[in-house]
Amino acid sequence: VALENLLSRSQSQVGVFPVNWSQFSTQVPGVEKMPLLSGLVSAQPSRGRESDFLLKLKATPPNERRLFLVAHVRRQVAQVLRIIHPESIGMDTGFFELGIDSLTSVELRNKLQGSLKCSVPSTVTLDYPTLKALVEYLYQQLLLEQVSYSNTVQTEEINEDREEITL
């Protein structure tokens, strides 16, 4: 019915294509604010749905998590810059030395935001211009997110346990 309705109009161009909206929303910042798409994408971040990477990170022993994060970020940088061997990216090599520009910087930011489920500033490669600096920043962000989320859950549990008393 929708396709028939679409084809019966006198539009000069029409496009129909499949979209994975949950993946799309992780790739395009602010998509929940777009009026056309607001009904398709939830404005509330889904705390209950973690990425595969975050699940693996939590399953990793605490003393190995930073190295696991280094490997992940290194792979993301390599994918964005089309570097075949991620391990060739040195911890102190500048992203701009590797060839990152404003577009690939935004692409890296979107990839990291999607896989880490935390907010990453658009100036991330300017603020943290090496793999070492970026990993340290992200590691701290993930710790803060985890503490913030666990405090929220604890507060909700405490509020549920309280009884209302009227004097």
Side-chain angles (χ1 to χ4, degrees):
V1 173
L3 182 59
E4 181 182 330
N5 186 15
L6 185 64
L7 294 174
S8 68
R9 295 184 181 189
S10 61
Q11 300 292 331
S12 59
Q13 293 180 349
V14 175
V16 178
F17 49 93
V19 177
N20 179 337
W21 292 110
S22 59
Q23 184 178 8
F24 180 81
S25 66
T26 64
Q27 298 291 321
V28 179
V31 72
E32 66 277 353
K33 296 176 186 168
M34 296 177 186
L36 178 67
L37 303 176
S38 63
L40 300 172
V41 180
S42 171
Q44 297 296 322
S46 58
R47 285 214 183 262
R49 204 177 73 206
E50 292 183 331
S51 69
D52 290 340
F53 172 74
L54 285 178
L55 293 172
K56 290 175 186 174
L57 182 67
K58 287 182 179 181
T60 303
N63 61 335
E64 296 176 18
R65 288 181 183 164
R66 191 178 304 266
L67 288 175
F68 194 69
L69 181 61
V70 167
H72 176 72
V73 174
R74 187 176 269 148
R75 278 191 308 273
Q76 299 303 310
V77 171
Q79 282 180 355
V80 166
L81 295 176
R82 315 288 191 261
I83 296 173
I84 297 171
H85 302 289
E87 62 278 355
S88 69
I89 301 171
M91 292 294 288
D92 293 316
T93 305
F95 292 132
F96 294 95
E97 291 175 48
L98 294 170
I100 206 161
D101 59 21
S102 59
L103 292 176
T104 51
S105 180
V106 171
E107 185 180 349
L108 176 61
R109 171 197 176 253
N110 291 344
K111 282 181 157 298
L112 292 172
Q113 239 176 214
S115 66
L116 302 176
K117 301 294 185 196
C118 72
S119 180
V120 178
S122 57
T123 58
V124 70
T125 57
L126 295 171
D127 300 336
Y128 310 98
T130 64
L131 187 62
K132 183 178 183 179
L134 179 57
V135 166
E136 185 58 36
Y137 166 74
L138 293 172
Y139 190 75
Q140 295 302 319
Q141 285 297 108
L142 290 173
L143 287 177
L144 291 174
E145 288 280 325
Q146 189 174 13
V147 168
S148 171
Y149 179 67
S150 65
N151 285 344
T152 301
V153 170
Q154 288 174 357
T155 303
E156 289 173 358
E157 288 173 357
I158 289 170
N159 288 339
E160 288 175 3
D161 290 343
R162 288 187 182 164
E163 291 182 28
E164 202 171 305
I165 301 174
T166 307
L167 298 175

